[in-house]
Amino acid sequence: MSVSFDGQVAIVTGAGGGLGRAHALLLARRGAAVVVNDFGGARDGSAGSTEAAEAVVREVTEAGGRAIANGGNVVSEADMQAMIAETLAAFGRVDILINNAGILRDKTFAKMTMDDFRQVVDVHLTGSANASKAVWGAMREQGYGRILMTSSTSGSYGNFGQSNYGAAKMGVLGLMNVLHIEGAKYGIHVNAILPTAATRMTGDMMTPDMLELLSPDLVAPAAVWLVSRDAPSRTALLAGAGTVARLAIVESEGVCFAGQALTPEDIGARFSEIAALDPLLEPAAGLAHVDRILARARTALGLAGGADHA
Ligand code: NAI
């Protein structure tokens, strides 16, 4: 089925370069009017200009598309409110938000200042919340919206020297999970992309032969599909070097000790069973986990409302 954004309006934060630019160009090629947000800062988040965003707008308009530049800082709630006001004034609606803006301040945790920690969490996590909050009312009212978070394997699996970044990038998955639940009845789908691409952000972390295989254009199709009309919700896709995969947060079935005095020694004695991911479960929401463990406890205790098996 062809993916079209005709008649739709998309905001992409941090779209002056790298992945955001690739997302914006693909959305525009498929018919969306695009708001190219970029604060134009340096890689560590220090301020810059709107030149990068304007250059991407020129690329879109020269190819016959519609776009405007916005120089707002995602960390500023007021800037994000102004961005949605500009979007509605220019294009009359907003269908899509891709939270992509990001910075790095890599250091080992021992050397990292708490200012470095806060700045990175502010841009990735609070910035994603600020921009999502700004579009939320309009999306709820129109009964349609698509929001994409940009997460990272540095969060889902960890990466040396990125405690601030890894924490923020897992934070946006928590934001996705909750906005998915709250947005469902308004037709708002919330997903995440975990990219790997050669950009300004990663250029000095990778060797030239790695960079060659990692074009942002191999990430944008997955990001763009996740904000399309047919997109699922609460789905996190890993994309890079031509591979697209799904990240899942799963839990083991675990061991139910209900009805017996539980000691730390019991955990140690049965740790391998507790940790075994066979079977593995993927709860649809936090409450699904709570329901499961309560049902098992009721079964173990012979109470009504137990699980089929304990
Ligand atoms: P990039 O540095 O090329 O792009 C980030 C853009 O965000 C820049 O143009 C920058 O000016 C803008 N930006 C930074 N702070 C901003 C703010 N406060 N307000 C508005 N704009 C701001 O980096 P890249 O690689 O394209 O990163 C895009 C996203 O993908 C980031 O969220 C990054 O963390 C994430 N990511 C990238 C990976 C990669 O392999 N390149 C891996 C995992 C995640």
Side-chain angles (χ1 to χ4, degrees):
M1 208 188 301
S2 84
V3 175
S4 160
F5 297 93
D6 284 344
Q8 294 200 327
V9 178
I11 298 174
V12 185
T13 68
L19 287 161
R21 171 179 165 274
H23 301 340
L25 293 176
L26 184 52
L27 283 165
R29 274 204 300 280
R30 294 303 183 102
V34 182
V35 178
V36 179
N37 159 271
D38 208 296
F39 178 53
R43 196 174 79 162
D44 68 356
S46 47
S49 77
T50 55
E51 250 168 61
E54 278 156 11
V56 175
V57 167
R58 276 196 301 279
E59 278 187 83
V60 171
T61 52
E62 278 162 19
R66 292 192 300 158
I68 57 169
N70 171 276
N73 179 349
V74 297
V75 176
S76 158
E77 199 182 335
D79 281 7
M80 292 300 95
Q81 293 295 338
M83 179 175 74
I84 179 68
E86 273 172 44
T87 304
L88 296 177
F91 300 126
R93 57 184 290 124
V94 61
D95 301 283
I96 294 162
L97 167 69
I98 299 188
N99 284 307
N100 167 82
I103 62 168
L104 286 182
R105 291 198 177 184
D106 293 357
K107 284 190 181 89
T108 61
F109 195 54
K111 289 191 181 141
M112 185 176 292
T113 65
M114 285 316 291
D115 186 52
D116 288 332
F117 196 94
R118 268 188 299 271
Q119 295 274 351
V120 167
V121 172
D122 272 355
V123 173
H124 293 275
L125 179 54
T126 311
S128 296
N130 283 339
S132 301
K133 178 82 178 167
V135 300
W136 198 249
M139 287 183 175
R140 268 173 50 127
E141 272 167 36
Q142 72 200 10
Y144 184 89
R146 297 287 181 266
I147 297 178
L148 187 70
M149 306 293 170
T150 304
S151 181
S152 169
T153 54
S154 298
S156 59
Y157 311 131
N159 196 25
F160 189 90
Q162 295 196 311
S163 53
N164 48 3
Y165 183 76
K169 288 305 202 185
M170 275 312 269
V172 300
L173 292 183
L175 185 60
M176 170 190 79
N177 285 332
V178 175
L179 295 189
H180 154 74
I181 291 170
E182 295 188 8
K185 69 175 174 198
Y186 302 102
I188 304 174
H189 293 196
V190 189
N191 294 304
I193 187 91
L194 291 85
T196 304
T199 63
R200 174 179 80 165
M201 189 172 274
T202 48
D204 59 3
M205 294 180 204
M206 294 175 183
T207 57
D209 61 315
M210 289 166 82
L211 294 173
E212 228 179 89
L213 297 171
L214 291 168
S215 161
D217 292 337
L218 295 172
V219 175
V224 162
W225 182 71
L226 286 171
V227 295
S228 67
R229 290 181 173 93
D230 294 329
S233 192
R234 198 208 189 209
T235 295
L237 292 182
L238 301 128
T243 291
V244 180
R246 184 169 76 94
L247 174 84
I249 298 184
V250 299
E251 63 186 44
S252 66
E253 185 174 47
V255 174
C256 179
F257 296 92
Q260 63 188 81
L262 183 59
T263 66
E265 290 77 13
D266 291 329
I267 310 298
R270 297 187 68 184
F271 180 69
S272 60
E273 271 174 88
I274 290 171
L277 284 174
D278 183 22
L280 58 78
L281 309 171
E282 188 181 7
L287 279 178
H289 167 81
V290 177
D291 286 346
R292 179 174 83 84
I293 57 172
L294 288 176
R296 280 182 98 183
R298 288 190 189 108
T299 301
L301 298 170
L303 303 172
D308 292 341
H309 65 285

